Amino acid sequence: ERLSNHFQFIDVGRNDPDKKPLEARKTEYVEIYESYSSEQVAEQSHRCLECGNPYCEWKCPVHNFIPNWLKLVAEGNLFEAAELSHQTNTLPEVCGRVCPQDRLCEGACTLNDGFGAVTIGSSEKYITDTALAMGWRPDLSHVVATGKKVAIIGAGPAGLGCADVLTRAGVKAVVYDRYPEIGGLLTFGIPEFKLEKSVMVRRREVFEGMGIEFRLNTDVGTDVTMDELMAEYDAVFLGMGTYTYMRGGFPGENLPGVYEALPYLVGNVNNNLGFEQDADAFVNLKGKRVVVLGGGDTAMDCVRTAVRQQAEHVICAYRRDEENMPGSRREVKNAREEGVEFLFNRQPIEVVEYFGQACGVKMVETQLGEPDEGGRRRPEPIPGSEQVLEADAVIIAFGFQPSPPEWLADIGVELNDWRGIVAPEEQEFAFQTTNPKVFAGGDMVRGSDLVVTAIWEGRQAAEGILDYLEV
Ligand code: FAD
Ligand code: SF4
C-alpha cells in the first residue's frame, strides 16, 4: 500500500480541474474552472513526492507549507489543512485562483521532469473554499488583546495581509478604503472569469468575524485626513496600490475609441455588479473590432472581457515574442481558446483616425535586440515594416506607475526616483517608511506586481509593526 502511494505520480497523471464549455466561457462572467471533488483533490494532492527540500515552498512568495497541506487534504484532514494554509497566506483561495503558478510553486515542482507538476493552486483553492463552506473559521480563541490599534489604508491584498497578521497578534486593525467593497484590484480590476466577486464578499465576512473593522467608501485625504489617523492610531500601514496608467506616447492616443485598460475593466465589473457609476464609465464593445495593446495580465483580462461582450474580433498586439510576455501562460492559453488572436513583435506607432474617431493602429514589426537593465531583450523596430491594423476600439494596457498622494510629503514619507515609497524589507523594522510610525507594502512600494507578493509585503510589514510597537 505504501509503495503504491509513493508512486502515485506514475499511476495518476496531472489533472487540472475541468473547464466550463467554451460557449459558456465566451458569454458568461463566471469562473471558467470547475472545482475539484474530494476524490479528485485527494488523488491529485497525493501525487506530491514530499521532497526533502521542497522547491515549491521557496518559490512561493509567501512560503506556504505546500507538501504538508497537500498531505493533510490527501488524507481527508480538511480543517487542519485550512488552518495550516492560513498560517502563511491571508487569501489562499484567491492565490489558488490567480497566482501564475506555472512561474511560481508549480514551476518549481520536481514532477515537472516529465510527469507534470502537482496541481498546487487548484488544491489550495479547494482547501479553503471547501473548509469555509463547511463552516471552518480561523481559530483566534487564544489571541490576547494588546490594546494597540493600527490604521490600514487600502483593502487590497497588501492591506488585508497586514490586517490579518496584526489581528492574530491581538492588535486592532481598522481598514480604510475608498471603494464600497474590500479587495482592491481583486474586486475592482480582476474580472469574474478569474475570480468571482462572491469570494471577496465571503472573505470580508470571515475577516469581520476575526474582528477586523472595515471603513469602506472612505477616502483618506478627503473623508478623513492622515493627520487624524496619525493622532488616533499607534501606527499606520499604507497599501494603496499603483493607479497611474502608462501611456505609449504616440499620436492618436487621446482619440475617441481609445480606452485605458483599468477603467474599461472596472466599468464592466461595476455594470455586472450593479454598482453605481457614471453613464459613460461602461464601454460595451459588442460587434466591434478590438485591438488590445500590451502583454500582461491586464491585457489578457481586457481581451477576454471584450470576447464576453461579443466583440466581432479581438486582437492582442505585443511588442516582444510569446516567450517574453509578462502575463500568465495559462491565461494566454485560455484567451486563445476563447478566440483571441495574438500578434507578436508588433509595436504601435500611431492610432489612426477617420473623421475624428479611432479606426486602426499603425504598427511596426520588431525584432529582439540587446537585453535591457532588467535582463529582458529590448524590442527594436524593423524599418519599412509598418502596417495598419483596422480597429473600432483600441485598449491601452501598458501597465501602471505609482500614484502616491501629495499628503505623504507632509508626514515625511519619502519616495524613490520612480515615485515608489521607500520602505525596505531588510531593516530593523520591516517595511517601515521614513516616518517611523508609518509602514507600507504592495504595489505602491514594489511597483505593480502580483497578488501574492502584495500579501507577503503586507504580512511582513505587520511583523515590522509588531516589533516597532513591542507587542
Ligand atoms: P490594490 O489591490 O491596488 O489595492 C489598493 C487599495 O487601496 C484599493 O482598494 C484602493 O481603493 C485603496 N486606496 C488607494 N488610495 C486610497 C485612499 N486615499 N483612501 C482609501 N483607499 C485608498 N496579480 C496576480 O497575482 N494575478 C493576476 O491574475 C492578476 N491580474 C491582474 C489583472 C489586472 C487587470 C490588474 C490591474 C492587476 C492584476 N494583478 C494580478 C496584479 C494585482 O492585482 C496587484 O499586484 C495587487 O492587487 C496589488 O495589491 P495592493 O494591495 O498593493 O493594491
Ligand atoms: Fe502557489 Fe501562489 Fe499558492 Fe504560493 S500562494 S502555493 S505561489 S498558488
Side-chain angles (χ1 to χ4, degrees), residues 29-31 93-94 97-98 181-205 262 265-275 301 305:
Y29 293 95
V30 289
E31 285 180 14
E93 77 284 28
V94 174
R97 284 168 165 89
V98 304
E181 184 51 275
I182 72 162
L185 288 172
L186 302 177
T187 302
F188 300 96
I190 297 181
E192 296 97 318
F193 44 84
K194 277 165 44 182
L195 174 66
E196 280 174 21
K197 304 303 163 188
S198 56
V199 175
M200 291 318 294
V201 174
R202 180 180 63 187
R203 240 321 140 182
R204 176 169 43 73
E205 287 160 8
L262 191 61
L265 292 173
V266 174
N268 195 64
V269 165
N270 281 338
N271 186 61
N272 289 345
L273 297 181
F275 279 135
D301 290 348
T305 297

Side-chain angles (χ1 to χ4, degrees), residues 166-186:
L166 291 176
T167 304
R168 287 168 184 267
V171 173
K172 174 82 186 164
V174 181
V175 186
Y176 293 80
D177 203 296
R178 55 162 70 120
Y179 288 144
E181 184 51 275
I182 72 162
L185 288 172
L186 302 177

Side-chain angles (χ1 to χ4, degrees), residues 60-62 64 66 69 89 95-96 99 101 104-105 120-121 124 452:
C60 165
V62 291
N64 275 334
I66 298 167
W69 46 244
N89 197 352
C95 291
C99 272
Q101 285 99 8
L104 301 174
C105 53
I120 298 170
E124 188 178 20
V452 64

Side-chain angles (χ1 to χ4, degrees), residues 147-151 172 174 176 213 215 224-236 437:
K148 302 280 185 193
K149 55 181 182 168
V150 173
K172 174 82 186 164
V174 181
Y176 293 80
E213 196 177 318
R215 307 238 173 116
V224 55
T225 67
M226 188 63 181
D227 285 346
E228 287 168 316
L229 298 185
M230 293 290 275
E232 190 182 342
Y233 293 91
D234 298 296
V236 178
K437 203 174 165 178

Side-chain angles (χ1 to χ4, degrees), residues 137-151:
R137 292 294 178 270
D139 177 13
L140 271 67
S141 55
H142 58 283
V143 173
V144 182
T146 60
K148 302 280 185 193
K149 55 181 182 168
V150 173

Side-chain angles (χ1 to χ4, degrees), residues 122-443:
S122 301
S123 303
E124 188 178 20
K125 163 181 179 259
Y126 172 92
I127 291 168
T128 294
D129 275 352
T130 317
L132 287 176
M134 289 171 69
W136 173 84
R137 292 294 178 270
D139 177 13
L140 271 67
S141 55
H142 58 283
V143 173
V144 182
T146 60
K148 302 280 185 193
K149 55 181 182 168
V150 173
I152 293 172
I153 311 179
L160 296 174
C162 185
D164 179 19
V165 171
L166 291 176
T167 304
R168 287 168 184 267
V171 173
K172 174 82 186 164
V174 181
V175 186
Y176 293 80
D177 203 296
R178 55 162 70 120
Y179 288 144
E181 184 51 275
I182 72 162
L185 288 172
L186 302 177
T187 302
F188 300 96
I190 297 181
E192 296 97 318
F193 44 84
K194 277 165 44 182
L195 174 66
E196 280 174 21
K197 304 303 163 188
S198 56
V199 175
M200 291 318 294
V201 174
R202 180 180 63 187
R203 240 321 140 182
R204 176 169 43 73
E205 287 160 8
V206 172
F207 286 144
E208 285 168 343
M210 289 166 63
I212 299 175
E213 196 177 318
F214 292 104
R215 307 238 173 116
L216 301 177
N217 294 309
T218 308
D219 184 89
V220 176
T222 37
D223 300 318
V224 55
T225 67
M226 188 63 181
D227 285 346
E228 287 168 316
L229 298 185
M230 293 290 275
E232 190 182 342
Y233 293 91
D234 298 296
V236 178
F237 173 79
L238 312 171
M240 297 152 74
T242 54
Y243 288 90
T244 306
Y245 315 127
M246 296 228 290
R247 310 283 293 168
F250 44 75
E253 263 187 307
N254 297 320
L255 284 170
V258 181
Y259 304 99
E260 296 284 1
L262 191 61
Y264 166 66
L265 292 173
V266 174
N268 195 64
V269 165
N270 281 338
N271 186 61
N272 289 345
L273 297 181
F275 279 135
E276 228 174 88
Q277 62 179 342
D278 295 341
D280 59 355
F282 171 56
V283 176
N284 189 353
L285 299 179
K286 187 173 169 74
K288 306 251 191 228
R289 295 163 306 168
V290 180
V291 172
V292 176
L293 304 173
D297 281 327
T298 310
M300 287 318 106
D301 290 348
C302 289
V303 288
R304 298 177 67 202
T305 297
V307 165
R308 283 160 179 76
Q309 289 185 337
Q310 308 295 299
E312 184 188 307
H313 189 71
V314 185
I315 294 179
C316 175
Y318 178 55
R319 63 200 178 117
R320 292 188 169 91
D321 59 9
E322 188 163 358
E323 268 296 285
N324 284 285
M325 274 182 106
S328 155
R329 294 191 203 298
R330 174 187 59 206
E331 302 309 336
V332 174
K333 186 164 178 275
N334 286 334
R336 265 212 182 91
E337 285 171 5
E338 290 164 12
V340 173
E341 187 185 336
F342 284 85
L343 284 180
F344 294 105
N345 301 310
R346 296 289 200 297
Q347 188 164 320
I349 46 178
E350 182 183 353
V351 177
V352 286
E353 67 173 296
Y354 184 69
F355 286 107
Q357 175 82 24
C359 71
V361 190
K362 190 186 269 183
M363 312 284 280
V364 62
E365 280 187 44
T366 57
Q367 59 192 6
L368 292 181
E370 292 303 308
D372 60 18
E373 314 79 57
R376 290 170 73 207
R377 293 174 65 194
R378 225 186 279 270
E380 291 168 358
I382 304 174
S385 64
E386 290 83 0
Q387 230 185 357
V388 173
L389 209 57
E390 289 182 13
D392 310 304
V394 179
I395 300 179
I396 300 200
F398 290 153
F400 304 91
Q401 278 170 334
S403 45
E406 296 296 323
W407 46 254
L408 287 179
D410 304 339
I411 52 165
V413 170
E414 276 175 26
L415 306 177
N416 57 30
D417 47 13
W418 49 269
R419 297 180 49 76
I421 290 188
V422 177
E425 181 170 358
E426 305 298 333
Q427 57 175 333
E428 188 185 3
F429 303 122
F431 293 101
Q432 190 179 41
T433 68
T434 43
N435 180 326
K437 203 174 165 178
V438 181
F439 292 69
D443 279 2

